[in-house]
Amino acid sequence: MAETTCIRDIDWLVAWNADEGGHEYRRGLDLAFTGNTVTFVGQRFAGPADTEIDGRRLMVMPGLVNIHCHSSNQPLYKGVREDMTNPYFHGSALYDYTTLFLPAEAGRRAATEYTMCELLKCGVTTVADLTSPYDGWIDLLARSGIRACVAPIYSSASWGTAGPGELRFEWDEEAGRAAFERAVAAIEAAESHPCGRFFGLIAPAEIDTCTAELLRASWDFARETGRPFQVHTSESVPQFREITRRHGMTPVQWAHDLGILGPGASLGHGIFLDHHAKTHWHTREDLGILAATRTALAHCPTVFSRYGQTLQSFGSYKRAGISIGLGTDTFPHNLIEEMRTTIIAGRITDGYAQSVSLADAFAAATVGGAGVLLRDDIGRLAPGMKADLVCIDLDHALMRPVRDPLRSLVYTAAERAVREVYVDGAQVVAEGRVLTLDMDGAAGRLEEAQALMEAAVPARDAAGRTAREVSPLSLPLA
């Protein structure tokens, strides 16, 4: 028989108001969950409880939903990619570090374990993990305790740099189709895993590395099976220019022409639309296409801010009626900090009066992301929802004074005030420590894997440069 847990006298509860369609603060209430489901939110829970928790100095909020994460490689780039830049690609070093710094499989396992710890420690309870599958990936996700939207990525081509400002694509359409079939098999296997926490996302890698046939087949399969669909689109100026060179239209317009936009579809990043200052394109149709087709956005502001790039703007997408969820994409995998960056970048690009509010960012990190992933049972706290919740320590010095606890969390404390995390009714974080995985052990294995990755750079670089020549240290080494 499933056990019942009751959190009593919660000081600040971020509850779901179904009538208003939004989150709201409530104070002095109880929340109970039985098994993996919230069963009570209100004054004084009268039923039997196997476990009672004192909520008097807690804020309890719904678990965060991260809709765009690459767990198996990003932590390996720590100290490598933050300041890398390529002026020929409008500042983006995406095509440099992904072709020169390639992780070995053992490093990928360490990276995933480290990433899952980062996510859980900052209150993420659901993650869409866009990863090239490897042996042990699903078992590791199961062991972590997180709710995972399993998204094996695949493509018809790989990219490389052919010279300053020039991309090179190596095509293998048959391999792309085979990788799609393997991705489907991996999703189906994950969804039948006994943990019961997995669901699938159909994720062709990039709009410029997939054939039209593979994109259409992926979208058709997603529609037929009721699964969400996401593809990296308008993620860089080079990608924008490659698609306009091939097809005479923007990535969004070509996706619309292919028929792969609509409810259940989301763009990975979707920054460089035809209205963006860096694209210098003659149309102004992209935003309207996304709104008309009800295509959503996976917004990951931190990684782009390092290149001096930003969405133009969160507020304009929201005002157009486009659904937005948040992702991390890169390290740190900290969705609380992504909320903060979303707000600040939105105010810089849009002006304060039209800017994104904290409530907007929090909605994107919870119910917004849930909607993008076609889930109506996560990202909010109300009876019948999944028991995915986060307890914030209001006695933590960085949370005080507690006038507005979400402001204290997002603008100041971040993951440092996250005390307990529950996923599917099971506790996965206690007193800020992940219970299911070994973050310190994973960090040690990451260091070993990064050293091997760096040692292989000269053989991959056309000029034979070392890793430290490609990505110098931030200060000279005496």
Side-chain angles (χ1 to χ4, degrees):
M1 185 174 178
E3 293 190 351
T4 296
T5 298
C6 178
I7 308 177
R8 294 220 180 260
D9 300 318
I10 298 168
D11 200 349
W12 294 80
L13 175 66
V14 179
W16 183 249
N17 185 324
D19 293 334
E20 297 295 329
H23 299 292
E24 66 182 12
Y25 283 137
R26 298 183 195 173
R27 304 200 66 182
L29 300 188
D30 293 354
L31 181 147
F33 56 91
T34 300
N36 67 356
T37 304
V38 176
T39 53
F40 180 86
V41 175
Q43 298 285 343
R44 201 62 191 168
F45 176 65
D50 300 279
T51 302
E52 292 200 5
I53 298 170
D54 184 356
R56 283 177 294 180
R57 290 299 293 167
L58 294 178
M59 176 175 72
V60 178
M61 67 181 198
L64 304 178
V65 180
N66 180 339
I67 67 168
H68 192 98
C69 172
H70 301 296
S71 74
S72 66
N73 58 9
Q74 290 300 317
L76 286 159
Y77 301 136
K78 188 180 292 185
V80 173
R81 68 166 291 190
E82 295 95 328
D83 295 326
M84 283 184 70
T85 185
N86 187 330
Y88 297 103
F89 291 130
H90 295 264
S92 175
L94 172 66
Y95 306 96
D96 299 282
Y97 77 81
T98 55
T99 54
L100 296 179
F101 295 86
L102 299 182
E105 187 153 317
R108 297 178 70 206
R109 288 193 293 272
T112 296
E113 182 166 0
Y114 189 90
T115 296
M116 293 304 127
C117 290
E118 283 190 299
L119 293 171
L120 292 170
K121 283 170 68 70
C122 78
V124 168
T125 54
T126 298
V127 60
D129 192 11
L130 286 78
T131 292
S132 297
Y134 61 87
D135 290 342
W137 174 42
I138 299 301
D139 289 338
L140 202 162
L141 292 178
R143 185 156 54 93
S144 75
I146 205 163
R147 189 180 304 283
C149 182
V150 176
I153 57 175
Y154 52 91
S155 62
S156 314
S158 59
W159 64 45
T161 54
E166 184 181 354
L167 289 178
R168 168 178 50 82
F169 293 83
E170 295 183 0
W171 293 89
D172 189 335
E173 296 183 24
E174 185 176 339
R177 181 70 197 196
F180 170 46
E181 292 172 358
R182 289 194 299 273
V184 169
I187 288 171
E188 291 174 345
E191 290 176 339
S192 64
H193 193 282
C195 77
R197 299 190 310 274
F198 297 155
F199 60 109
L201 169 69
I202 308 304
E206 298 95 12
I207 199 165
D208 54 335
T209 62
C210 293
T211 64
E213 292 73 21
L214 185 60
L215 290 168
R216 287 196 191 99
S218 300
W219 172 246
D220 290 344
F221 181 78
R223 291 290 296 271
E224 290 164 8
T225 61
R227 294 184 174 97
F229 170 94
Q230 189 178 126
V231 58
H232 289 81
T233 303
S234 297
E235 66 172 328
S236 70
V237 175
Q239 185 191 70
F240 184 95
R241 291 188 170 176
E242 179 67 20
I243 294 298
T244 56
R245 182 190 66 80
R246 292 181 197 172
H247 306 291
M249 60 183 78
T250 72
V252 166
Q253 292 161 19
W254 189 55
H256 189 225
D257 196 54
L258 289 175
I260 62 169
L261 303 180
S266 57
L267 306 186
H269 308 309
I271 288 180
F272 298 100
L273 305 191
D274 57 4
H275 71 277
H276 196 284
K278 290 185 180 293
T279 60
H280 302 288
W281 195 246
H282 60 278
T283 64
R284 293 294 181 270
E285 301 172 6
D286 289 358
L287 209 60
I289 289 172
L290 297 182
T293 58
R294 295 168 58 198
T295 300
L297 188 75
H299 181 40
C300 310
T302 294
V303 64
F304 291 94
S305 69
R306 291 173 182 163
Y307 299 141
Q309 300 169 347
T310 184
L311 200 67
Q312 292 185 338
S313 62
F314 187 103
S316 64
Y317 285 59
K318 182 175 178 289
R319 290 189 293 273
I322 297 165
S323 297
I324 304 174
L326 295 188
T328 50
D329 187 88
T330 191
F331 63 90
H333 292 282
N334 191 319
L335 208 64
I336 299 174
E337 292 188 350
E338 295 289 348
M339 283 190 268
R340 184 193 310 150
T341 305
T342 294
I343 296 165
I344 293 170
R347 290 176 180 174
I348 291 170
T349 56
D350 215 14
Y352 197 93
Q354 299 274 0
S355 69
V356 52
S357 68
L358 192 153
D360 294 330
F362 187 75
T366 52
V367 290
V372 172
L373 299 181
L374 303 180
R375 295 290 297 253
D376 60 5
D377 58 349
I378 59 175
R380 68 200 82 186
L381 292 180
M385 299 296 106
K386 293 295 185 185
D388 296 356
L389 54 97
V390 180
C391 298
I392 304 299
D393 181 6
L394 298 181
D395 283 330
H396 193 290
L398 295 177
M399 288 294 296
R400 303 172 76 178
V402 187
R403 178 182 181 273
D404 186 323
L406 273 178
R407 282 183 181 154
S408 293
L409 179 71
V410 172
Y411 289 116
T412 305
E415 81 289 351
R416 292 164 290 192
V418 174
R419 199 171 88 180
E420 277 85 36
V421 179
Y422 294 82
V423 181
D424 217 36
Q427 188 169 10
V428 291
V429 173
E431 298 294 336
R433 182 176 64 87
V434 176
L435 301 176
T436 55
L437 299 172
D438 178 8
M439 190 171 189
D440 288 338
R445 297 194 302 278
L446 271 178
E447 289 180 335
E448 296 171 2
Q450 189 185 69
L452 293 173
M453 184 178 73
E454 286 195 90
V457 167
R460 299 184 182 281
D461 184 62
R465 294 174 298 171
T466 67
R468 287 195 176 177
E469 289 172 325
V470 174
S471 175
L473 300 181
S474 55
L475 295 175
L477 180 62

